[in-house]
């Protein structure tokens, strides 16, 4: 079949996208980092819903050109799963980046308030020290107006900003000190971030094992092709082979989804 040898590469690409590591740039916990802010990586560019469909469209189009419609549909499904995994990891990396930036900004704010600076000057210093422009833009209205930002469930930075907004409104009404609340929120964010890092380290082994197990079927196809058995031709040109291919891909996706859910549940504690 023309181009059939290229179709296993599509499945390999989907598996690689599913196991693509999330970039977590290091951020200082005190002061503004020197140099320009890092540009968002490929995972950050795929954080939206439209970006999550790009791997599915690319894999499905290539599969339609290179092989049968069944293989094209399976490649699109694998690409969609890979895009969803990338979008989830990009969202987690963005939340961690915002948490780190918020820790820096709140630390500077608490230090300025304890030094006796007015809230307006302390706010300007905190926003200048915040290394993430998105976080700084969200923190400004919270400190100046006491406006609580919206946030999805599990969005820890938005939850912390809502606590700061409530403290700002209370301080404006009663004149109570704001430094203690800001310091408490900063300590809470730092403790949560440290706990999440420890949990990720604890589940790194099971995550790596699941990734290796997910790649074994592709390795089996490559080994069969290496000994001259040509398993891909059997899977794509015969009725029983097509049934086995569909069943195998379905079980593969179910296994990776189940393993990822188990790891996420363990990471949440």
């Amino acid at each position: 079949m023309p181009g059939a040898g290229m179709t296993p590469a599509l499945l390999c690409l989907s598996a690689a996208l599913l196991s693509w590591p999330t970039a977590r740039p290091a951020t200082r916990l005190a002061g503004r980092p020197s140099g320009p802010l890092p540009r968002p990586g490929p995972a950050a560019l795929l954080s939206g819903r439209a970006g999550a469909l790009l791997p599915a469209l690319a894999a499905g189009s290539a599969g339609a050109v290179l092989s049968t419609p069944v293989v094209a549909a399976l490649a699109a499904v694998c690409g969609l799963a890979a895009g969803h995994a990338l979008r989830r990891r990009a969202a987690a990396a963005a939340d961690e980046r915002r948490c780190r930036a918020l820790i820096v900004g709140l630390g500077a704010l608490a230090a300025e308030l304890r030094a006796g600076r007015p809230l307006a000057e302390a706010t300007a210093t905190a926003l200048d020290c915040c290394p993430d422009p998105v976080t700084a833009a969200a923190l400004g209205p919270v400190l100046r107006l006491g406006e609580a930002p919206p946030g999805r469930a599990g969005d820890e930075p938005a939850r912390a900003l809502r606590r700061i907004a409530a403290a700002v409104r209370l301080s404006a009404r009663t004149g109570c000190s704001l430094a203690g609340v800001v310091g408490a929120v900063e300590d809470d964010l730092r403790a949560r971030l440290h706990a999440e890092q420890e949990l990720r380290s604890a589940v790194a082994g099971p995550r790596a094992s699941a990734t290796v197990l997910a790649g074994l079927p592709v390795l089996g196809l490559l080994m069969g092709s290496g000994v001259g058995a040509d398993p891909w031709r059997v899977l794509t040109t015969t009725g029983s082979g097509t049934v086995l291919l569909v069943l195998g891909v379905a079980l593969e996706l179910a296994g990776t989804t189940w393993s990822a859910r188990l790891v996420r549940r363990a990471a949440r504690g």
Side-chain angles (χ1 to χ4, degrees), residues 15-105:
L17 289 173
L18 284 170
S19 58
W20 190 274
T22 301
R24 294 187 178 89
T27 305
R28 297 180 185 176
L29 295 181
R32 175 184 289 273
S34 58
L37 293 173
R39 294 181 179 272
L45 296 177
L46 293 174
S47 59
R49 293 182 181 273
L53 297 177
L54 290 179
L57 295 176
S61 300
V65 173
L66 298 175
S67 191
T68 65
V70 174
V71 175
L74 293 177
V77 171
C78 292
L80 183 63
H84 179 70
L86 278 178
R87 186 165 62 90
R88 183 186 294 274
R89 294 187 183 187
D95 285 347
E96 180 179 342
R97 184 173 63 252
R98 290 168 56 207
C99 277
R100 291 184 179 276
L102 192 56
I103 287 173
V104 176

Side-chain angles (χ1 to χ4, degrees), residues 32 37 98 101-102 105 123-124 126-144 161:
R32 175 184 289 273
L37 293 173
R98 290 168 56 207
L102 192 56
T123 298
L127 297 182
D128 184 64
C129 291
C130 189
D132 182 38
V134 176
T135 305
L139 183 60
V142 169
L143 297 178
R144 296 190 182 103
L161 288 176

